[in-house]
Amino acid sequence: MAKYNITEKKEKEAHYRTLVNPKLMDEMRDRILNIIVMQKKYKEKDYSAKKLAEELGTNTRYISAVVNVKFHMNYTSFVNKFRIEEAMAILVDRRYQQLRIEEVSDMVGFSNRQSFYASFYKVMNMTPREYRIKHLDMHPGEKVVVAKKTKKKVEKKGRKAKKSVKK
C-alpha cells in the first residue's frame, strides 16, 4: 500500500464540463484565482467549494467544472496546492524556524496534521519534516533548530511567568 494511503484516481469525463461556454469558463477561472489566491482564502480551514460558489453567485457543479477543466485537478487538490506552496516557503524561512510542523499546517489552512502530511507527501513525495531537513542540508550556513516544545513545557513556562509577576 502507498505511503499515507495515496492512490491514483482514474480520469472520468463528465458531460457537463463540455456544456460550459469557454469564454465564461475563462472569466470564472480568473475570478476563482482572485478569490482563492489573491484574497488568500485557501488559508481558511473551512473555505469550501460551496462558499466559493456563493461568493461567485454560481453553484458548486460549475466551480468543479471550471477547476477540473482549467486547472486539471479537483477543488480540494487545487486549494491544497496553494497551501502546500506556502508551507514550503514557511518551512525553509529562517523567521519561522522555531515553528513545529503542526503550527505550519495550521498557518496555511489545513484542519489537521494528517491531511497536511498526506497532501504534502502527494505533491512533494516527502514529508514536511524531510523537506525542511533536506533544504537545510542544501544551505548549511542557515542552521535551524527544529522546534520540539511540548504543551507541558509551554504551560510550565507560563506558570513560572505568572509566579514571578505575583511576587
Side-chain angles (χ1 to χ4, degrees), residues 6-84:
I6 297 171
T7 56
E8 292 295 320
K9 293 188 178 180
K10 294 179 182 174
E11 189 69 29
K12 294 185 275 184
E13 189 59 44
H15 178 66
Y16 66 88
R17 292 181 194 160
T18 60
L19 299 175
V20 180
N21 179 333
K23 186 176 178 182
L24 289 174
M25 201 174 268
D26 288 340
E27 180 185 319
M28 189 59 68
R29 178 201 63 218
D30 294 341
R31 292 175 67 199
I32 290 170
L33 282 171
N34 178 48
I35 291 171
I36 299 293
V37 181
M38 301 306 288
Q39 295 178 29
K40 296 194 176 207
K41 294 286 187 171
Y42 65 86
K43 286 184 166 189
E44 295 179 19
K45 291 177 179 14
D46 60 348
Y47 197 74
S48 63
K50 184 177 180 181
K51 288 184 180 181
L52 177 61
E54 287 170 5
E55 272 193 60
L56 294 173
T58 189
N59 61 49
T60 55
R61 184 165 254 196
Y62 191 62
I63 296 293
S64 177
V66 173
V67 171
N68 275 276
V69 171
K70 294 297 179 180
F71 302 106
H72 310 288
M73 59 184 81
N74 65 30
Y75 176 80
T76 302
S77 296
F78 176 70
V79 171
N80 285 347
K81 174 181 171 264
F82 297 106
R83 290 174 175 165
I84 297 299

Side-chain angles (χ1 to χ4, degrees), residues 79-156:
V79 171
N80 285 347
K81 174 181 171 264
F82 297 106
R83 290 174 175 165
I84 297 299
E85 286 173 3
E86 182 152 349
M88 289 167 52
I90 291 170
L91 287 169
V92 298
D93 190 323
R94 291 173 55 182
R95 295 172 294 178
Y96 301 109
Q97 67 185 4
Q98 298 302 323
L99 291 179
R100 293 175 314 172
I101 303 294
E102 289 78 11
E103 293 169 316
V104 173
S105 166
D106 192 54
M107 284 175 67
V108 299
F110 282 94
S111 57
N112 63 61
R113 182 178 163 268
Q114 290 78 13
S115 61
F116 175 57
Y117 267 75
S119 296
F120 197 97
Y121 193 86
K122 183 179 179 182
V123 172
M124 297 303 299
N125 205 29
M126 66 177 74
T127 67
R129 184 176 186 280
E130 290 168 342
Y131 178 81
R132 180 182 260 175
I133 290 167
K134 181 179 178 183
H135 184 273
L136 297 176
D137 288 344
M138 292 174 10
H139 304 289
E142 300 174 20
K143 187 166 183 165
V144 172
V145 178
V146 177
K148 290 188 178 181
K149 288 185 179 180
T150 63
K151 288 181 182 178
K152 290 179 183 177
K153 287 182 183 178
V154 173
E155 288 172 7
K156 285 180 183 178

